[in-house]
Amino acid sequence: MNPSPLAVIAGAGVAGLSSAWWLSQAGWRVVLAERATHLRDGGYMMGLSGPGLYTARRMGLVPALRAVEREIGENVYRDRRGRELMRIRYRELLKQIEWITLKRTDLVSVLYDVVRDRCDMRLGMTVAACRADSLGVDVTLSDGRMLRADLLVGADGVHSALREQVFGADDGARRVEQLGYRYAAYDVEDAIGLSHDFVSYAAVGQQVEYHGLGGGRLAALHVWRSHEHGAVPSAARHALVAEVAARTHPEAMRILRHLPADAPIALDDLAMIDMPTWHRGRIVLLGDAAHGLSLISGQGAGMAMASAAVLAQELGRQPVSQALLAHDRRLRPIVQRLQQRSRKLAPVYVPAAAWSFALRNAAMRALPRMLLRRYFLSGLKSELEAAAALA
């Protein structure tokens, strides 16, 4: 009797954990290698809707996700002087749209809980080397263990080391598209009594958002225009965020003073990955490693989950080579639409010039509620279309 096929997955974020669930559900054996010694992911708030929520429902995860949902009461937009630009209650504005607001780390935790007993999970480990042929992939893990796999999945994020190994020599096969912004996310003491509300402070070239988490905590997210990009050492992140916060409303600095200097801060570039192909032989990239959408799109995690489901579905229908082609063919049009949306949204979300900032603020103040509702619905339309395309 032939053993079940083996998949090795690099990365235990949303894409890797989702892939492990779907492949094990389809009868595959799974070895999941994660560089970190403990599960971690970007700590910013996110909304799960469209393809992500559709996939989570198919996985039976909605009750667990609802249990860690972070309800948003009122969302108030202010400028750097504290003047109110707009006030929104999303649940009233978008009554017919279903979504779940939660921290990305909570989504990772829920996925981990349903995956850990389904696969051989190896923390503190990476894929050190790989060599593919027409029948499989020889994978060497960083502890020296060698595996003969039927499929190698690179789900190790926008800075994918596996992508560098497999596609790095081919300049035309990999392109990191910088959107010209950076972001920083962290949890901090609620020094402003926000409770379950959400407040944003905007200035030219930057925006900071605070989500009340309850229990005396806030989730903070800074996004700012930056001509620099690349890794920022952990020890330098607090000072960089303080420099950014000092250029917006004084509330930002007041809140930041409650963050210990050694507290973890997730800090990265807003970047997208644009590749003509996501696979080579029996090696395939998934999620941000293949097609990072940036947090501005609001669909990075959801599309990673959907991509894992489509991959497993196609592998159940046909041989690996054809399945990887079909996976690409089904997802690429959706990803391209969402990436184009990110390109358009970035300068609107955080205007880089004083005139565009003033124009946006004036529009936000004057926009009638009906048009405001239509604007947000149009933004969600692509997400609903994507879910329908994957059904």
Side-chain angles (χ1 to χ4, degrees), residues 83-326:
R83 295 177 300 185
E84 185 175 313
L85 301 175
M86 186 168 59
R87 185 177 294 262
I88 301 173
R89 295 189 66 87
Y90 286 108
R91 292 295 179 191
E92 295 177 5
L93 191 68
L94 305 172
K95 292 179 181 178
Q96 71 271 47
I97 303 297
E98 185 181 10
W99 77 91
I100 297 175
T101 303
L102 74 169
K103 289 183 65 179
R104 191 178 177 100
T105 45
D106 289 336
L107 174 59
V108 170
S109 295
V110 168
L111 287 168
Y112 172 72
D113 286 343
V114 297
V115 165
R116 58 185 173 184
D117 295 330
R118 288 172 168 256
C119 67
D120 178 3
M121 188 173 298
R122 296 172 172 265
L123 300 179
M125 194 170 299
T126 62
V127 172
C130 60
R131 185 177 63 83
D133 55 46
S134 60
L135 299 178
V137 189
D138 292 317
V139 180
T140 303
L141 300 179
S142 54
D143 67 350
R145 182 184 177 191
M146 300 184 69
L147 301 169
R148 177 65 174 176
D150 298 276
L151 181 69
L152 174 59
V153 178
D156 49 343
V158 70
H159 303 294
S160 171
L162 188 61
R163 185 182 65 233
E164 200 68 33
Q165 284 186 48
V166 178
F167 296 92
D170 185 352
D171 291 339
R174 177 181 62 85
R175 183 162 68 90
V176 179
E177 180 181 345
Q178 298 289 344
L179 295 178
Y181 296 83
R182 277 178 163 168
Y183 75 87
Y186 53 89
D187 281 10
V188 66
E189 179 184 335
D190 184 359
I192 57 176
L194 198 56
S195 183
H196 294 284
D197 288 333
F198 169 26
V199 64
S200 303
Y201 291 101
V204 176
Q206 67 166 298
Q207 182 160 303
V208 58
E209 302 176 351
Y210 299 105
H211 290 257
L213 300 176
R217 304 295 294 176
L218 293 177
L221 173 67
H222 298 257
V223 180
W224 67 97
R225 182 74 174 166
S226 176
H227 297 293
E228 298 179 345
H229 58 84
V232 177
S234 297
R237 295 180 182 182
H238 195 288
L240 179 56
V241 173
E243 179 185 325
V244 171
R247 299 197 300 266
T248 187
H249 191 274
E251 200 81 278
M253 283 302 297
R254 184 160 83 90
I255 293 170
L256 190 62
R257 292 190 189 100
H258 291 267
L259 184 72
D262 59 350
I265 297 176
L267 193 153
D268 207 343
D269 306 319
L270 286 187
M272 298 191 300
I273 307 300
D274 188 0
M275 302 179 66
T277 180
W278 300 326
H279 67 277
R280 180 163 291 175
R282 287 174 173 251
I283 303 172
V284 62
L285 301 176
L286 214 63
D288 285 349
H291 46 68
L293 298 172
S294 87
L295 62 83
I296 286 180
S297 76
Q299 284 294 312
M303 282 307 299
M305 296 173 70
S307 181
V310 170
L311 176 63
Q313 187 179 62
E314 295 300 338
L315 287 168
R317 292 173 174 170
Q318 54 199 315
V320 172
S321 58
Q322 287 94 330
L324 298 185
L325 285 169

Side-chain angles (χ1 to χ4, degrees), residues 84-86 358-372:
E84 185 175 313
L85 301 175
M86 186 168 59
L359 184 63
R360 188 201 69 165
N361 291 351
M364 289 173 69
R365 289 190 187 100
L367 204 61
R369 191 171 183 81
M370 181 183 70
L371 293 180
L372 183 65

Side-chain angles (χ1 to χ4, degrees), residues 354-388:
W355 68 267
S356 56
F357 180 70
L359 184 63
R360 188 201 69 165
N361 291 351
M364 289 173 69
R365 289 190 187 100
L367 204 61
R369 191 171 183 81
M370 181 183 70
L371 293 180
L372 183 65
R373 182 174 182 274
R374 186 178 299 172
Y375 169 78
F376 281 103
L377 284 175
S378 67
L380 290 169
K381 183 180 178 182
S382 60
E383 301 172 16
L384 300 176
E385 290 174 346

